[in-house]
Amino acid sequence: MRALLLHDLGVADYGHVLELQERLVEMRQRGDVSDLVLLVEHPHVFTIGRGGNERHLLDQGDIPLFRVTRGGDITYHGPGQMVAYPIIDLRSHLRKAVHRYLRELEESTIATLSDFGMSARRMPPWTGLWIENRKIASIGIRVRKGVTFHGLALNVSTDLAYFERIVPCGLSWAEMTSMEKELGRRVPFSDVKERWARAFAERLGYSELKPLCQEGIPIGLKSDSRVAPTTSG
């Protein structure tokens, strides 16, 4: 019986969570921790994936910018957005291929949106998930020595105006949307997190979700919420 460890960080600074992911990836590679997923809501931040174009940042203002090692171009994280960072060992016999992992990540989110009466779809060759031609979820991952990190951002009640300060994912034609905009009503954030975590665990064949804190894993974050305007990771 395999359990997926889960830790809800609440609202946490992007830079500190990036450092936490790095530590957990190393621990997972050594076998010091089981497969796990972090759920978090970030304060305002822009991130650019490897190979992304900084010209797609149109108006940074005072919002921090991180160049990171995930795939994809520029995106925005902020209040009202559910971000999931799975730290999964793909060397397991259940998850040998990166493309299968990405498909399950997508399917988990499609199932979650379906629970709220929404029909999301893929739109190859572009990543992420779409409601008709409006993008509701962005995906960008990295795999290091068989272990995943970075992940998924789902717009629940996100202030979509912040996406106007970038060229989202490098797609000038892309319109961003959110669950609340599509449904025209408030969506309980905690319900989205719970349904997504359960859907993800089921899709990847885990028997249960288990709080990470019960494992005694050191996951404390720094209390200072400020980060440098531009950095990399």
Side-chain angles (χ1 to χ4, degrees), residues 25-46:
V25 166
E26 292 178 359
M27 294 175 68
R28 186 68 191 98
Q29 290 167 344
R30 295 193 304 264
D32 294 338
V33 65
S34 301
D35 289 345
L36 63 100
V37 61
L38 303 174
L39 295 181
V40 65
E41 185 178 4
H42 290 302
H44 304 294
V45 65
F46 295 123

Side-chain angles (χ1 to χ4, degrees), residues 2-9 20-21 23-29 32-39 84-89 95 101 147-150 196 200 204 206 208-213 215 217-219:
R2 295 176 58 87
L4 176 66
L5 303 182
L6 173 68
H7 189 65
D8 187 345
L9 293 167
L20 175 59
Q21 287 186 77
R23 296 203 307 272
L24 290 170
V25 166
E26 292 178 359
M27 294 175 68
R28 186 68 191 98
Q29 290 167 344
D32 294 338
V33 65
S34 301
D35 289 345
L36 63 100
V37 61
L38 303 174
L39 295 181
Y85 297 124
I87 313 294
I88 303 293
D89 186 352
R95 293 166 291 279
Y101 166 71
V147 176
T148 70
F149 60 120
H150 295 292
W196 183 88
F200 183 71
L204 271 77
Y206 297 99
E208 63 176 328
L209 285 167
K210 188 175 181 181
L212 178 61
C213 59
E215 299 296 296
I217 304 300
I219 53 172

Side-chain angles (χ1 to χ4, degrees), residues 15 31 80 88 90 118 146 166 185 207:
I88 303 293
L90 295 181
M118 306 176 69
I166 62 175
R185 60 177 174 83
S207 59

Side-chain angles (χ1 to χ4, degrees), residues 115-225:
D115 284 347
F116 289 88
M118 306 176 69
S119 180
R121 66 187 181 100
R122 302 175 185 83
M123 199 160 71
W126 301 288
T127 61
L129 295 172
W130 307 72
I131 305 293
E132 296 181 350
N133 293 323
R134 300 176 296 280
K135 192 171 189 178
I136 195 167
S138 300
I139 296 174
I141 71 162
R142 176 73 188 274
V143 179
R144 181 184 294 160
K145 295 181 180 179
V147 176
T148 70
F149 60 120
H150 295 292
L152 163 87
L154 173 63
N155 298 327
V156 180
S157 57
T158 317
D159 184 347
L160 300 173
Y162 283 93
F163 286 102
E164 297 175 5
R165 300 171 68 167
I166 62 175
V167 180
C169 305
L171 304 176
S172 59
W173 52 268
E175 177 185 353
M176 303 300 294
T177 193
S178 69
M179 295 178 69
E180 290 197 355
K181 180 179 180 180
E182 294 294 324
L183 294 171
R185 60 177 174 83
R186 179 181 174 276
V187 177
F189 200 79
S190 58
D191 287 358
V192 177
K193 290 190 291 187
E194 179 181 356
R195 294 190 189 198
W196 183 88
R198 293 192 179 282
F200 183 71
E202 289 174 3
R203 291 292 310 186
L204 271 77
Y206 297 99
S207 59
E208 63 176 328
L209 285 167
K210 188 175 181 181
L212 178 61
C213 59
Q214 290 184 5
E215 299 296 296
I217 304 300
I219 53 172
L221 296 177
K222 302 173 185 177
S223 60
D224 181 9
S225 63

